[in-house]
Amino acid sequence: MLYKLLLMLQPYFSPLNVFRYITFRTALAILTAMIVSLIIGPCIIRWLKRISVTQQIRDDGPQTHLRKSGTPTMGGIIILISMLVTLFCWGDLTNRYMWIMIISLVGYGAIGLFDDYLKVMRKNPKGLRAWFKFGAQIGIALVIGLVLYFNPADPYRSELIVPFFKKWFFDLGWFYIPFSVLVIVGSSNAVNLTDGIDGLAIGLVGIAALANMLLVYISGNAKFSQYLSVYFLPGTGELTVFCGAMLGAALGFLWFNAYPADVFMGDVGSLSLGGALGTLAVITKHEIALAVVGGIFVIETFSVMAQVASFRLTGKRIFRMAPIHHHFELLGWPESKVIVRFWIIGIMLALLSLATLKLR
């Protein structure tokens, strides 16, 4: 907690008072996470190459992907390190919500790391057994859901807030616990499914982090939340710094993951980032807003579900290949065009969620 040390020196040097402000620390978090990513990225990529942690490309996918065989994976380690270093520098670690976010990030990252290890190092293409992988994801989400449900400091702990409509909410009661599990686990796997082409998932995560940064700051600020008719959630404003760290780490990792990628994030990156976005939505009551801001993640997930259901029921496929980004590749779209167009849609959805704030 570097900023706490700086605040202790504030009586002797008044300009250090700026470290009290969430906005200032969020800006520092963005820069710190990005710089740390850019510094450690080349070292970790070289290390992954040296120990032969490389991606094996499926031969039943787009043929243009075959040239990516041998690209290092598990680059999500870069994201986790840069975010944790940043949060321990500029985050308020006395804030309970910050620790819940860190536990979610590290917990889902550990699941992804173990899965990647089995796939890459042990040459087990299936990785973790499905029951263990989903069981661990559900277990972490269940603990988070229980902690939040029995949180006496949250006056809306069991409520589902509906965006776009002023003061619409539903009290889910104890059902809020399984609902929160569904949101967190679903978000984690949605990002994982989207991570199929260079820079797509991490770019969308950056967009979601930026949109959530604004939403979290508003809901955690008494004046702004009142003006925009958003529920005021005491203590959650500090998570603006977490969103800043995620945005900075996403930008830093995108430097190496942009087409053509020097490294892939692997499950260690996608599961941790998705789990963190889901946890953030549950804490700040933006579960429905997450589905809008992360609309591409939702579309990718439903494309897989629809493809599987259609093939099992009728023996026919709806898409040439799922997730849907591969469908457009097989239609002849260059990979870079798919990425940029999906980013554009992601930005539009993020702006939609923000533009409706004053309408509530």
Side-chain angles (χ1 to χ4, degrees), residues 63-111:
Q63 295 301 301
T64 55
H65 285 209
L66 294 178
R67 65 176 179 269
K68 300 181 182 182
S69 184
T71 302
T73 187
M74 292 174 64
I77 295 172
I78 299 171
I79 300 171
L80 289 180
I81 292 176
S82 61
M83 286 189 66
L84 291 174
V85 168
T86 299
L87 293 174
F88 277 92
C89 285
W90 307 120
D92 181 2
L93 298 184
T94 62
N95 184 290
R96 72 178 72 190
Y97 298 119
M98 182 65 76
W99 276 109
I100 292 174
M101 291 302 306
I102 292 174
I103 290 170
S104 175
L105 182 74
V106 174
Y108 280 93
I111 296 171

Side-chain angles (χ1 to χ4, degrees), residues 172-183:
L172 301 180
W174 65 266
F175 186 72
Y176 184 78
I177 298 173
F179 175 73
S180 63
V181 171
L182 177 64
V183 171

Side-chain angles (χ1 to χ4, degrees), residues 307-316:
Q307 184 87 321
V308 172
S310 177
F311 186 74
R312 289 185 176 178
L313 294 174
T314 67
K316 297 181 180 180

Side-chain angles (χ1 to χ4, degrees), residues 191-219:
V191 175
N192 183 243
L193 289 172
T194 307
D195 184 32
I197 52 180
D198 303 357
L200 175 60
I202 195 63
L204 292 170
V205 166
I207 294 168
L210 178 58
N212 275 284
M213 186 169 66
L214 298 173
L215 289 171
V216 170
Y217 181 72
I218 290 169
S219 61

Side-chain angles (χ1 to χ4, degrees), residues 46-334:
R46 286 195 297 269
W47 173 66
L48 292 173
K49 287 181 177 178
R50 187 167 62 250
I51 63 175
S52 300
V53 180
T54 55
Q55 183 73 40
Q56 301 300 313
I57 305 299
R58 293 166 47 188
D59 56 11
D60 59 343
Q63 295 301 301
T64 55
H65 285 209
L66 294 178
R67 65 176 179 269
K68 300 181 182 182
S69 184
T71 302
T73 187
M74 292 174 64
I77 295 172
I78 299 171
I79 300 171
L80 289 180
I81 292 176
S82 61
M83 286 189 66
L84 291 174
V85 168
T86 299
L87 293 174
F88 277 92
C89 285
W90 307 120
D92 181 2
L93 298 184
T94 62
N95 184 290
R96 72 178 72 190
Y97 298 119
M98 182 65 76
W99 276 109
I100 292 174
M101 291 302 306
I102 292 174
I103 290 170
S104 175
L105 182 74
V106 174
Y108 280 93
I111 296 171
L113 183 65
F114 194 25
D115 192 39
D116 285 335
Y117 171 77
L118 292 177
K119 290 177 181 176
V120 179
M121 303 299 291
R122 293 298 183 90
K123 307 302 180 184
N124 180 355
K126 294 184 178 180
L128 284 172
R129 294 179 181 272
W131 64 267
F132 183 86
K133 184 176 181 179
F134 283 103
Q137 289 179 305
I138 292 171
I140 294 173
L142 182 60
V143 170
I144 293 172
L146 287 169
V147 169
L148 293 175
Y149 182 74
F150 290 104
N151 176 19
D154 184 1
Y156 312 111
R157 57 183 177 271
S158 63
E159 293 180 1
L160 173 63
I161 298 173
V162 181
F164 319 125
F165 296 96
K166 187 175 181 179
K167 303 300 182 183
W168 274 34
F169 65 91
F170 299 96
D171 191 343
L172 301 180
W174 65 266
F175 186 72
Y176 184 78
I177 298 173
F179 175 73
S180 63
V181 171
L182 177 64
V183 171
I184 297 172
V185 175
S187 176
S188 179
N189 287 283
V191 175
N192 183 243
L193 289 172
T194 307
D195 184 32
I197 52 180
D198 303 357
L200 175 60
I202 195 63
L204 292 170
V205 166
I207 294 168
L210 178 58
N212 275 284
M213 186 169 66
L214 298 173
L215 289 171
V216 170
Y217 181 72
I218 290 169
S219 61
N221 185 288
K223 293 182 179 179
F224 285 135
S225 60
Q226 182 179 11
Y227 175 71
L228 294 172
S229 300
V230 176
Y231 281 87
F232 172 55
L233 303 170
T236 60
E238 184 63 30
L239 298 184
T240 310
V241 179
F242 185 94
C243 293
M246 183 182 290
L247 174 59
L251 292 173
F253 184 73
L254 184 59
W255 183 271
F256 306 106
N257 188 234
Y259 178 83
D262 297 320
V263 65
F264 301 136
M265 73 167 75
D267 285 4
V268 62
S270 59
L271 289 182
S272 59
L273 291 173
L277 285 174
T279 303
L280 184 69
V282 171
I283 292 175
T284 59
K285 308 303 176 186
H286 290 143
E287 297 94 344
I288 297 178
L290 174 65
V292 179
V293 173
I296 293 294
F297 297 132
V298 176
I299 293 170
E300 294 272 9
T301 302
F302 275 99
S303 71
V304 174
M305 296 170 62
Q307 184 87 321
V308 172
S310 177
F311 186 74
R312 289 185 176 178
L313 294 174
T314 67
K316 297 181 180 180
R317 293 179 172 86
I318 299 175
F319 308 104
R320 293 194 177 187
M321 187 177 181
I324 198 170
H325 58 257
H326 289 318
H327 172 76
F328 289 107
E329 285 187 277
L330 294 177
L331 286 179
W333 289 20

